[in-house]
């Protein structure tokens, strides 16, 4: 059962702001990654043991590197035990014996405050998601799923915070960063779903081919998720190369994953062009489907252009967070379009 229009309007506004804020956090996370500020705060949730980080190395004890390395080692031992208990013995061994965990960076106030601002924004967004969950309680009698999924998103924020602490304790262990990114996308999709579900039903489209369009959109979404994972792996390779090579040498040494990622983008472009053609063929020009379709195609094109700039201009630092944000937004728009097609198919069933 769909919620009433009046009741849903304020909720949709608040949840829309929350979705935009989550994307803002993803963009800020990209800036943190690009500037190498991920370890600007060597502990979590505090930063150098304080809720307000220092501005100068003189404010830290002389042995601060040894202190925070030992804290990370102790935390990783516990994390490795969890992994072993879940049957991931090889990963547990990797976490316990990764030599990079014993590396502590010199204090850099710019990197420290960049990461600190990232955490502050994360805390604010956590409050927004909690607010979304609280507001969703008004739908409990009409549509319990809205409330359940809103609170699930908030629970995932807590889990995401714990994963973030593991990312720090493992000194930005690569596969942990990928998991961190995927959970962020899950949170976004949950928020998009509750936003969509709280909208009143508006029938303005009829077609016998909605099932085909829905499956094609789901294919685009699935392949785009694979591309996001490939992109995080390329980013991990860049992080490794940045330690020993000049920026101009990165692309030439990225290896097979980069070339797959680059070529795969052409497949996605062709598939989205085909989706656009199919939607236009079904005459969606005067329906609610037209806006997300236009946004999706524009985002795909700009995303590929940003990727070309990165590939041929030595991975400019300013383009990296844009590329990451566009990829995340693309997933959200695809998912929203799929939800709309699914809803209209159910209306006509």
């Amino acid at each position: 059962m769909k919620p009433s229009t009046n009741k849903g309007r304020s909720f949709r506004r608040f949840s829309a702001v929350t979705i935009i804020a989550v994307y803002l956090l993803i963009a800020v996370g990209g800036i943190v990654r690009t500037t190498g500020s991920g370890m600007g705060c060597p502990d979590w949730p505090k930063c150098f043991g304080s809720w307000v980080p220092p501005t100068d190395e003189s404010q830290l004890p002389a042995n601060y590197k040894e202190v925070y390395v030992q804290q990370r080692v102790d935390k990783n031992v516990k994390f490795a035990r969890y992994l072993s208990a879940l049957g991931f013995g090889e990963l547990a061994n990797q976490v316990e014996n990764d030599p990079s965990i014993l590396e502590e960076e010199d204090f850099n106030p710019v990197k420290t405050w960049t990461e600190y601002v990232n955490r502050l924004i994360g805390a604010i967004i956590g409050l927004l998601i909690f607010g979304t969950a609280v507001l969703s309680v008004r739908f409990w009698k009409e549509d319990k799923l809205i409330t359940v999924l809103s609170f699930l998103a908030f629970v995932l924020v807590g889990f995401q915070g714990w994963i973030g602490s593991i990312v720090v304790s493992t000194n930005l262990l690569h596969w942990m960063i990928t998991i961190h990114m995927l959970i962020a996308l899950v949170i976004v999709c949950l928020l998009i779903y509750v936003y969509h579900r709280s909208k009143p039903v508006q029938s303005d489209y009829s077609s016998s081919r909605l099932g085909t369009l829905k499956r094609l959109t789901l294919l685009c979404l699935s392949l785009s998720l694979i591309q996001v994972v490939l992109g995080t792996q390329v980013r991990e390779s860049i992080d490794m190369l940045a330690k020993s090579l000049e920026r101009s040498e990165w692309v030439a040494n990225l290896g097979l994953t980069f070339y797959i990622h680059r070529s795969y983008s052409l497949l996605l472009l062709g598939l989205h062009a085909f989706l656009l053609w199919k939607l236009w063929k079904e005459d969606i020009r005067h329906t609610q489907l037209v806006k997300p379709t236009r946004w999706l195609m524009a985002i795909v094109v700009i995303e590929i252009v940003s990727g070309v700039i990165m590939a041929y201009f030595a991975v400019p630092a300013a383009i990296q967070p844009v590329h990451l944000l566009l990829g995340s937004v693309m997933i959200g728009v695809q998912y929203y379009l799929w939800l709309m097609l699914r809803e209209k198919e159910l209306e006509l069933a």
Side-chain angles (χ1 to χ4, degrees):
M1 179 186 297
K2 283 282 185 177
S4 65
T5 303
N6 292 334
K7 184 181 290 187
R9 187 176 292 115
S10 60
F11 175 77
R12 288 196 304 276
R13 287 173 180 169
F14 194 90
S15 60
V17 169
T18 303
I19 292 167
I20 294 170
V22 173
Y23 277 124
L24 171 64
L25 182 59
I26 290 175
V28 173
I31 294 172
V32 169
R33 190 92 185 272
T34 300
T35 57
S37 303
M39 289 303 294
C41 294
D43 49 343
W44 192 96
K46 294 183 178 182
C47 186
F48 286 102
S50 175
W51 293 113
V52 179
T55 56
D56 190 86
E57 190 171 6
S58 62
Q59 298 173 266
L60 298 170
N63 64 335
Y64 74 90
K65 291 185 178 182
E66 291 81 0
V67 170
Y68 292 113
V69 165
Q70 188 57 50
Q71 286 183 7
R72 290 207 305 271
V73 169
D74 293 341
K75 189 165 189 173
N76 289 337
V77 168
K78 294 179 181 178
F79 181 51
R81 289 173 184 167
Y82 295 146
L83 290 174
S84 296
L86 293 172
F88 298 105
E90 185 176 343
L91 289 178
N93 184 64
Q94 180 185 357
V95 169
E96 283 196 275
N97 297 288
D98 186 350
S100 69
I101 292 173
L102 301 179
E103 299 173 4
E104 182 62 45
E105 296 183 7
D106 293 332
F107 174 77
N108 182 314
V110 174
K111 291 183 177 181
T112 292
W113 278 85
T114 300
E115 169 60 13
Y116 181 66
V117 169
N118 177 46
R119 294 185 184 187
L120 283 179
I121 294 174
I124 293 170
I125 290 169
L127 292 175
L128 285 175
I129 295 177
F130 178 69
T132 300
V134 171
L135 289 175
S136 73
V137 173
R138 67 181 66 177
F139 299 124
W140 181 252
K141 292 182 179 180
E142 297 176 37
D143 192 341
K144 291 181 173 58
L145 192 57
I146 292 177
T147 305
V148 170
L149 294 182
S150 296
F151 275 93
L152 177 59
F154 180 66
V155 170
L156 278 178
V157 168
F159 181 68
Q160 178 78 321
W162 178 74
I163 290 293
S165 73
I166 298 299
V167 168
V168 171
S169 71
T170 57
N171 203 358
L172 310 181
L173 189 61
H174 295 154
W175 57 270
M176 287 302 303
I177 294 175
T178 299
I179 291 174
H180 197 55
M181 178 65 190
L182 291 176
I183 293 174
L185 292 177
V186 170
I187 292 171
V188 166
C189 286
L190 280 173
L191 293 171
I192 289 174
Y193 182 78
V194 298
Y195 169 82
H196 172 76
R197 193 175 178 94
S198 65
K199 292 177 66 176
V201 176
Q202 294 183 8
S203 298
D204 60 357
Y205 188 64
S206 62
S207 173
S208 59
R209 300 183 183 88
L210 280 172
T212 300
L213 293 172
K214 187 186 72 172
R215 288 189 290 272
L216 184 56
T217 304
L218 184 60
L219 177 62
C220 289
L221 174 59
S222 302
L223 294 181
S224 297
L225 281 170
I226 294 173
Q227 180 73 325
V228 167
V229 172
L230 287 172
T232 60
Q233 292 177 349
V234 171
R235 178 64 231 188
E236 289 165 6
S237 299
I238 289 175
D239 289 342
M240 296 294 293
L241 293 172
K243 297 178 181 179
S244 57
L245 298 177
E246 296 294 328
R247 181 179 292 271
S248 60
E249 301 175 286
W250 291 355
V251 174
N253 290 275
L254 281 173
L256 181 61
T257 303
F258 165 71
Y259 293 107
I260 294 174
H261 181 65
R262 186 179 66 178
S263 301
Y264 192 63
S265 63
L266 298 177
L267 170 64
L268 287 177
L269 178 61
L271 189 60
H272 281 85
F274 180 65
L275 173 63
L276 179 66
W277 175 75
K278 291 288 287 184
L279 286 164
W280 242 248
K281 187 179 177 183
E282 291 300 313
D283 193 22
I284 67 161
R285 288 182 288 278
H286 305 293
T287 73
Q288 290 179 309
L289 295 173
V290 67
K291 286 186 178 180
T293 302
R294 286 175 174 172
W295 274 105
L296 177 58
M297 201 62 206
I299 291 167
V300 170
V301 171
I302 298 171
E303 171 76 337
I304 291 176
V305 170
S306 68
V308 170
I309 293 173
M310 291 175 66
Y312 290 97
F313 293 92
V315 196
I319 300 298
Q320 293 178 52
V322 174
H323 192 66
L324 172 65
L325 176 61
L326 287 172
S328 304
V329 173
M330 181 176 67
I331 296 295
V333 176
Q334 288 169 331
Y335 182 59
Y336 187 66
L337 179 60
W338 179 82
L339 287 173
M340 294 184 72
L341 288 165
R342 174 176 173 269
E343 177 187 59
K344 295 181 184 302
E345 183 184 39
L346 292 174
E347 289 173 18
L348 298 170

